[in-house]
Amino acid sequence: MKTRQARRAANKEGNLYTVKTGFNTVFTDQQLSATVLQAVQLVSPILIASNVLANLHVLRCLETDGHVSKLDQTCFSNCMYAVSHATGRRAVQFNRAKNVSLTESLDIYLQQLPQHQQTPERPTYLKDILNAASLMAQTNARNHINTNYFSRTLSWIRLQLRQQAFLANMEYKFVRSWAKFACRAAADNITSIWDLLPRYPSLVQPPPHIRQFLEYLVVTMQQLMGPLPVTDWSLERKPESCLPWLHLILLDFEAAQGMPEAPRLFSMLPQSSNQTQFITISSTSLQQLLMAAGIPNVPSLTSGTGAKEFIQQQESWWSQ
């Protein structure tokens, strides 16, 4: 499922189920259990470090040229490879020459690490697990931007409204309504914003100087918010185009931290929790884990027939 809303809708319709069970109920073989637990311990620090690098890289790109490259699976996979060192047969290291911009961000990230801290290890058998993790990172980034875009925009508008005495002295519910009014006018790329006013019955025509202020505010936002109109669909389709606007909001939030009721700061991309540790295991990654655990008679990964044979027998292998 691509979005939280889609998962909730599927769950209501009975098309999505969550089953919680004990780890030892799924994996009974001791060798395989030990290998899976080791994989979790190896993957978790890679995910944490790669998310830090991804956030740092996005901020550096926005501060230098205001452009962020596509936030796809390859982007997050490169971050995971960059913050770790590969070990094992056919180990693939991060290609610095091919990823010049990310390499510059990586060097800044490495300089900030405590002295003598080693980068996480990335054994070859983690390849498919990290592929799944990078795809999930892409989905999480889109959800994060989609969720933050309008909520942070509304907070930013309220921050601007509080600078006007007429609006600052209003009840909070009216300030919220004016913020929604301005946000919709800007996001929908509406030229005559006062045509929207009848849709907000709690609002009345403000004094001329407030009208002028709101008109200027909406025009300014329309120039900075990115491709208009801004919709859930456009945020889903090209989320990186919205990051410059979120970055401007973040800078204003940082400058306002000394004010009463200062808005909360936020990250440009999701951050990993140090406490949550998990991996996504597909049939392909299970095959790699079985071989890494030394389980006998596992079909070879190097031949096409071996992969097909494993898929045909996957139910029996999942019962290990």
Side-chain angles (χ1 to χ4, degrees):
M1 296 290 174
K2 290 186 177 181
T3 65
R4 186 182 296 110
Q5 293 85 349
R7 289 194 297 271
R8 287 175 177 171
N11 190 40
K12 287 181 180 178
E13 295 172 3
N15 298 327
L16 181 66
Y17 300 91
T18 300
V19 179
K20 294 184 179 180
T21 184
F23 175 81
N24 293 329
T25 304
V26 179
F27 298 103
T28 56
D29 185 274
Q30 290 186 351
Q31 284 181 286
L32 179 59
S33 297
T35 304
V36 172
L37 290 173
Q38 182 188 43
V40 174
Q41 293 172 354
L42 290 169
V43 167
S44 294
I46 295 176
L47 298 184
I48 294 170
S50 65
N51 281 335
V52 173
L53 175 61
N55 271 282
L56 173 63
H57 181 59
V58 165
L59 286 172
R60 192 183 68 82
C61 290
L62 291 170
E63 290 169 357
T64 51
D65 59 9
H67 173 72
V68 179
S69 57
K70 192 172 183 181
L71 297 174
D72 55 9
Q73 183 179 8
T74 301
C75 168
F76 292 103
S77 179
N78 284 337
C79 288
M80 293 176 190
Y81 275 55
V83 298
S84 57
H85 65 277
T87 58
R89 294 179 63 249
R90 300 183 179 181
V92 178
Q93 304 295 347
F94 173 65
N95 191 330
R96 283 176 162 264
K98 192 176 178 180
N99 301 277
V100 178
S101 180
L102 183 58
T103 297
E104 294 174 358
S105 300
L106 175 63
D107 289 337
I108 296 173
Y109 164 78
L110 294 175
Q111 291 172 5
Q112 295 175 353
L113 293 179
Q115 193 174 12
H116 307 304
Q117 179 174 327
Q118 299 295 321
T119 56
E121 179 186 357
R122 177 170 38 85
T124 307
Y125 71 85
L126 297 181
K127 176 183 176 182
D128 281 277
I129 295 174
L130 291 178
N131 282 344
S134 60
L135 182 59
M136 184 179 293
Q138 174 188 333
T139 301
N140 290 342
R142 288 180 177 177
N143 290 341
H144 182 82
I145 294 171
N146 199 321
T147 301
N148 274 280
Y149 189 87
F150 287 110
S151 63
R152 304 301 178 182
T153 297
L154 288 169
S155 295
W156 180 85
I157 295 172
R158 291 195 294 269
L159 181 66
Q160 310 309 310
L161 297 181
R162 287 205 297 268
Q163 297 176 17
Q164 299 291 320
F166 176 82
L167 295 168
N169 294 328
M170 281 186 176
E171 289 185 51
Y172 183 68
K173 63 179 181 180
F174 294 119
V175 176
R176 287 180 60 185
S177 294
W178 279 117
K180 291 178 181 178
F181 168 83
C183 183
R184 180 162 187 175
D188 290 355
N189 200 22
I190 294 176
T191 305
S192 180
I193 68 172
W194 301 110
D195 292 344
L196 279 178
L197 196 59
R199 301 185 186 183
Y200 297 84
S202 63
L203 302 180
V204 295
Q205 285 281 359
H209 73 286
I210 297 300
R211 286 172 57 91
Q212 186 178 6
F213 167 75
L214 289 171
E215 290 169 359
Y216 174 77
L217 181 65
V218 169
V219 170
T220 302
M221 292 171 61
Q222 289 173 339
Q223 294 172 349
L224 299 173
M225 289 177 75
L228 299 174
V230 181
T231 63
D232 289 339
W233 180 82
S234 66
L235 291 172
E236 172 72 20
R237 181 172 172 266
K238 200 172 182 181
E240 54 275 354
S241 67
C242 305
L243 288 175
W245 170 242
L246 284 175
H247 183 235
L248 290 174
I249 291 177
L250 180 61
L251 293 177
D252 281 354
F253 282 11
E254 290 174 344
Q257 286 308 294
M259 297 173 54
E261 301 180 4
R264 292 177 59 184
L265 300 179
F266 60 96
S267 61
M268 302 302 293
L269 297 177
Q271 297 279 25
S272 290
S273 170
N274 293 333
Q275 299 176 346
T276 304
Q277 297 185 344
F278 66 93
I279 57 176
T280 301
I281 301 177
S282 63
S283 293
T284 306
S285 53
L286 175 64
Q287 186 178 11
Q288 295 174 331
L289 289 167
L290 288 165
M291 296 188 72
I295 305 298
N297 303 321
V298 180
S300 173
L301 280 167
T302 57
S303 65
T305 56
K308 291 180 180 178
E309 181 184 350
F310 184 85
I311 294 297
Q312 291 172 354
Q313 304 172 357
Q314 60 179 332
E315 288 189 14
S316 63
W317 290 113
W318 275 107
S319 63
Q320 289 286 328

